[in-house]
Amino acid sequence: FCTPLRLPFPVTVSAGTEIRQAVRLRLVKSATTDPTPSLLSEPTGYARRLPRIGLCGAIPSRRLDERELSLLRVLRPAHLRVDVDLASPEGLARLDCERANAEAIGAPLELAWTVSNRAEEELSAVAKFLQISRPAVCRCLIFHASEWSTTARWIELARRILGEWDSRAAIFSGTTANFREWNASPPPFDLLDGICYSVQPQEHAFDNASLIENCAAIADTVHSARRLCGSLPIAVTPVTLRKRVNPYATGPSPPTSEDQLPLTVDPRQMSLFAAGWTLGAIRYLAEAEAASATFYETVGWRGVCEASAGAPQPDLFPSRPGMAFPLFHVLADVNEIADESPQAKTSPCPNAEPLRWEGIMLTHDRGQTILIANQTATRQVSSLGNWRPGTRVRTLDQTTFDRAASDPLGFRGWRQPYDPAGGGALEVELLPYAYARIDVPR
């Protein structure tokens, strides 16, 4: 972004042209907290509601089989996002397919419409479809195929036409790309019921440490969005490991060779590392008070579990057919608590060291649940405060990976009683990139 955003790109800069840039940095002293509080007490100060966490429908669309549906019901997604290009002849067929999947899972739809300049005709066809099929819908996201930040014309049109289907339909917009796109050209907030944009941690660097560091920036985007849009709900949708779209491209993407994965696929999707990254993303989304978040896809190599048929390129993405990825259990743990205890609050583990281990504490009707993850390739021992009788622990690491992947429902019902050898301290050993759930009764 060397030249002003009002100029088109790419930009030709002639030899001898002088370009001046400036950055203003202001330092603010932050509040400090007791570095060694007991974790197992009611949170004070910082305590947030969890965002509503859903999933994206898989691309390409297909009807999910019963095993896949049974897993996704356990995950309890708050919604299912379906992206529909209304200019495509397959658009309404994709919508109908994901409507059936959402009904089978028991989740409402997050409808993401992309219109063309024939938007009135396209949206009228959608409104007619919705009047007939009557799906449960939590919100509608409106985008235009040639705009990275949606302008008033298309939002007004969507509100008028979709209002004929449901006058209470929540209309969100912003961008289907990164926060930067609508931050550079804000949408008309007065026409919207909420703001939306996506996040992914691999814009400039791709190593594990950079991805972990970039988690904190998710909260920064939500805080910055809040300064612009006021009290409007913010939907971060979707959250992915790799970027889905490239708003900075100056030409079509080169074709992917047979010995490469698609640019949208990261083999770490099925790894323990991705579970820890997902936990960090949830922490910062909750910290910034995002209203909702949409993670990954339902099945496949961008999903929470592998498809029953397996990966298209198993030599490059070595998953097993039907396996649950470790990040499945992170999302399932959070949604289980949010579903059973709607007033649950979350706060970060007081002793968390974000570049070593990440953790959140959920306070709910039955007590507290601590979710922690080792962010490193070395063993870590985490001291979490005072132990209580009845504490139970479930660890997902290299020793339990196969069980969690092949028998996810059985794994989720498994807990080990915690009996501290050294007295009253609650300490958990985490192998490289391990993830653990600790349930502490009241």
Side-chain angles (χ1 to χ4, degrees):
F1 307 109
C2 299
T3 52
L5 294 174
R6 66 179 179 274
L7 299 179
F9 66 91
V11 177
T12 300
V13 180
S14 302
T17 300
E18 181 177 320
I19 298 175
R20 303 181 67 182
Q21 296 179 316
V23 174
R24 179 176 298 165
L25 180 66
R26 182 168 60 96
L27 302 180
V28 179
K29 184 178 180 179
S30 62
T32 59
T33 59
D34 181 353
T36 58
S38 171
L39 180 66
L40 305 179
S41 58
E42 293 295 322
T44 57
Y46 176 126
R48 302 286 189 264
R49 294 283 297 275
L50 286 163
R52 300 282 289 166
I53 295 176
L55 300 172
C56 285
I59 298 176
S61 288
R62 64 170 176 83
R63 292 291 294 271
L64 301 176
D65 66 31
E66 189 52 43
R67 172 181 166 77
E68 294 163 342
L69 289 171
S70 66
L71 276 179
L72 295 170
R73 292 187 193 109
V74 170
L75 195 146
R76 309 187 203 189
H79 55 267
L80 184 68
R81 171 171 168 155
V82 52
D83 286 85
V84 180
D85 180 358
L86 294 182
S88 166
E90 293 82 30
L92 289 183
R94 171 170 167 75
L95 171 57
D96 192 44
C97 177
E98 295 302 336
R99 174 198 60 79
N101 287 334
E103 288 180 358
I105 295 168
L109 290 169
E110 179 179 73
L111 297 174
W113 312 118
T114 298
V115 301
S116 71
N117 289 336
R118 299 175 60 190
E120 185 159 6
E121 176 185 337
E122 295 162 354
L123 288 168
S124 295
V126 164
K128 182 177 180 180
F129 175 90
L130 294 174
Q131 287 170 345
I132 295 171
S133 60
R134 309 300 297 177
V137 175
C138 62
R139 69 187 67 86
C140 298
L141 317 179
I142 306 300
F143 310 113
H144 190 275
S146 62
E147 298 178 353
W148 286 115
S149 181
T150 312
T151 52
R153 175 184 176 184
W154 315 113
I155 297 169
E156 291 172 333
L157 194 62
R159 186 170 291 282
R160 175 173 63 81
I161 295 175
L162 294 179
E164 298 172 3
W165 154 63
D166 185 349
S167 60
R168 300 166 299 173
I171 305 296
F172 281 50
S173 195
T175 182
T176 191
N178 303 322
F179 167 78
R180 192 215 73 87
E181 273 55 66
W182 78 258
N183 183 47
S185 182
F189 300 127
D190 59 319
L191 299 178
L192 294 171
D193 299 308
I195 291 297
C196 62
Y197 61 93
S198 68
V199 297
Q200 49 82 21
Q202 299 191 64
E203 192 65 46
H204 302 292
F206 315 100
D207 59 286
N208 287 357
S210 292
L211 268 65
I212 294 299
E213 290 173 343
N214 286 343
C215 257
I218 296 174
D220 294 331
T221 67
V222 179
H223 290 312
S224 294
R226 175 69 59 221
R227 291 172 67 99
L228 294 172
C229 71
S231 61
L232 287 178
I234 297 171
V236 181
T237 172
V239 181
T240 55
L241 284 185
R242 296 295 299 269
K243 67 167 66 177
R244 300 155 41 257
V245 295
N246 185 5
Y248 319 122
T250 56
S253 299
T256 303
S257 64
E258 293 183 357
D259 62 347
Q260 292 179 312
L261 288 171
L263 295 177
T264 58
V265 175
D266 190 321
R268 289 172 290 189
Q269 187 82 19
M270 58 167 288
S271 70
L272 289 167
F273 168 82
W277 188 88
T278 301
L279 179 63
I282 292 170
R283 171 203 164 165
Y284 287 107
L285 286 164
E287 175 186 293
E289 298 184 276
S292 71
T294 307
F295 278 84
Y296 311 125
E297 294 182 7
T298 48
V299 300
W301 50 15
R302 291 181 294 263
V304 298
C305 58
E306 186 53 89
S308 295
Q313 295 172 269
D315 54 329
L316 299 177
F317 193 90
S319 60
R320 296 193 297 271
M323 71 177 286
F325 301 154
L327 55 80
F328 169 92
H329 293 285
V330 177
L331 295 171
D333 284 338
V334 173
N335 276 353
E336 174 190 314
I337 293 166
D339 192 45
E340 295 179 357
S341 300
Q343 301 304 313
K345 296 291 183 70
T346 179
S347 54
C349 288
N351 299 331
E353 299 179 44
L355 299 186
R356 293 181 57 209
W357 67 278
E358 186 60 270
I360 60 174
M361 178 179 67
L362 302 170
T363 302
H364 50 82
D365 299 341
R366 300 180 307 280
Q368 292 163 320
T369 297
I370 305 153
L371 306 178
I372 59 174
N374 184 353
Q375 306 278 48
T376 74
T378 59
R379 170 182 170 274
Q380 303 280 345
V381 176
S382 300
S383 181
L384 300 173
N386 298 326
W387 168 74
R388 284 190 195 145
T391 297
R392 301 176 72 85
V393 179
R394 186 187 68 219
T395 303
L396 175 49
D397 58 24
Q398 61 202 46
T399 69
T400 57
F401 183 98
D402 285 344
R403 180 179 182 183
S406 60
D407 181 21
L409 303 188
F411 177 77
R412 295 199 55 69
W414 170 65
R415 302 279 200 285
Q416 285 185 311
Y418 181 82
D419 186 11
L426 175 57
E427 291 190 342
V428 178
E429 178 181 349
L430 298 174
L431 296 178
Y433 298 116
Y435 163 72
R437 169 176 172 163
I438 305 160
D439 291 299
V440 183
R442 284 194 177 278

